[in-house]
Amino acid sequence: NAGVTQTPKFQVLKTGQSMTLQCAQDMNHNSMYWYRQDPGMGLRLIYYSASEGTTDKGEVPNGYNVSRLNKREFSLRLESAAPSQTSVYFCASSEDRMNTEAFFGQGTRLTVV
Amino acid sequence: AQSVTQPDIHITVSEGASLELRCNYSYGATPYLFWYVQSPGQGLQLLLKYFSGDTLVQGIKGFEAEFKRSQSSFNLRKPSVHWSDAAEYFCAVGLWNFNKFYFGSGTKLNVKP
């Protein structure tokens, strides 16, 4: 089982460039999430999507946009990258019920120079 | 606001020694509680979860955690640590009705031979 797949695994951007991080899950989950992980700060929620066609802001949405393309895919876009967006980005998904956990991808390490 | 606190940033234990990682949460009701482990360069893997019932839960790799409502804590324990347990450990709270998971800042475990 592939689970949650993120691409790319590594990326270096120049300040001001744009890029899209891709995420796909094959577990038929309704809910999907984007987190960023920074040293000493754990994982912070950027955006989430409770179902296809819906997205909501998390704790740190500024500078990001998302698209829930279909039930499987949830992309994260940086329109104009800034050094403060250097981070490791994780996509996750979960079922839409009470006793469930989030399943994570392997992460994308993004460096903005 | 909901929060998850892991007071220990780094912990070093000797191989074979016991381990306890602390986690406290702040939330108005009993949330769903999780412990995840992250090996270097990897995604997050679920160790165990608590939703209701028995307050002592068993997980993978010999880990267990105890939910204490009176202390708003969900501490992770292992009786005898192995070198392969060296990793970063994250406590998380799940808020099902809001489709969100909140993470602590993590505890890095170092295991001495």
Side-chain angles (χ1 to χ4, degrees):
Chain A
N1 289 337
V4 180
T5 303
Q6 292 182 234
T7 55
K9 288 186 169 48
F10 299 94
Q11 184 71 48
V12 179
L13 288 179
K14 294 182 179 179
T15 298
Q17 285 185 319
S18 63
M19 80 161 293
T20 299
L21 279 63
Q22 307 286 353
C23 175
Q25 51 92 10
D26 62 1
M27 295 175 282
N28 202 36
H29 288 166
N30 279 323
S31 299
M32 296 186 73
Y33 314 83
W34 276 106
Y35 288 89
R36 60 177 289 172
Q37 182 182 24
D38 302 291
M41 304 191 75
L43 279 77
R44 291 181 292 168
L45 183 63
I46 305 171
Y47 272 93
Y48 68 101
S49 170
S51 62
E52 183 180 349
T54 68
T55 60
D56 286 287
K57 295 178 180 180
E59 303 166 83
V60 288
N62 291 345
Y64 305 95
N65 286 301
V66 290
S67 295
R68 183 73 182 269
L69 306 170
N70 47 56
K71 191 170 186 179
R72 289 187 64 249
E73 298 172 289
F74 188 37
S75 62
L76 178 72
R77 183 162 178 83
L78 287 70
E79 291 290 352
S80 178
S84 61
Q85 294 178 304
T86 293
S87 187
V88 180
Y89 292 85
F90 286 99
C91 178
S93 70
S94 69
E95 294 184 49
D96 191 20
R97 57 181 176 86
M98 296 177 69
N99 54 339
T100 185
E101 68 269 25
F103 294 82
F104 284 83
Q106 293 297 296
T108 296
R109 185 174 294 276
L110 175 67
T111 301
V112 183
V113 298
Chain B
Q2 297 81 20
S3 68
V4 182
T5 303
Q6 293 180 246
D8 303 307
I9 299 173
H10 288 99
I11 283 185
T12 298
V13 299
S14 298
E15 191 168 17
S18 63
L19 171 70
E20 182 169 26
L21 302 183
R22 296 181 290 165
C23 173
N24 292 93
Y25 66 91
S26 172
Y27 182 55
T30 301
Y32 305 118
L33 298 161
F34 309 86
W35 275 99
Y36 285 85
V37 60
Q38 183 183 31
S39 298
Q42 300 297 310
L44 277 73
Q45 180 185 20
L46 182 72
L47 281 176
L48 47 78
K49 57 188 176 184
Y50 172 78
F51 296 119
S52 64
D54 192 348
T55 56
L56 184 64
V57 294
Q58 303 296 321
I60 62 171
K61 304 184 180 186
F63 285 91
E64 66 178 26
E66 186 172 13
F67 169 61
K68 292 186 177 179
R69 186 189 306 273
S70 61
Q71 298 175 20
S72 297
S73 68
F74 189 56
N75 293 350
L76 181 71
R77 301 194 294 247
K78 187 169 185 179
S80 178
V81 170
H82 187 263
W83 63 266
S84 60
D85 293 324
E88 190 160 20
Y89 292 80
F90 292 94
C91 181
V93 162
L95 304 179
W96 172 77
N97 54 330
F98 296 110
N99 285 106
K100 291 181 181 179
F101 296 86
Y102 291 93
F103 286 80
S105 55
T107 298
K108 284 190 177 177
L109 174 65
N110 182 43
V111 180
K112 291 192 301 184

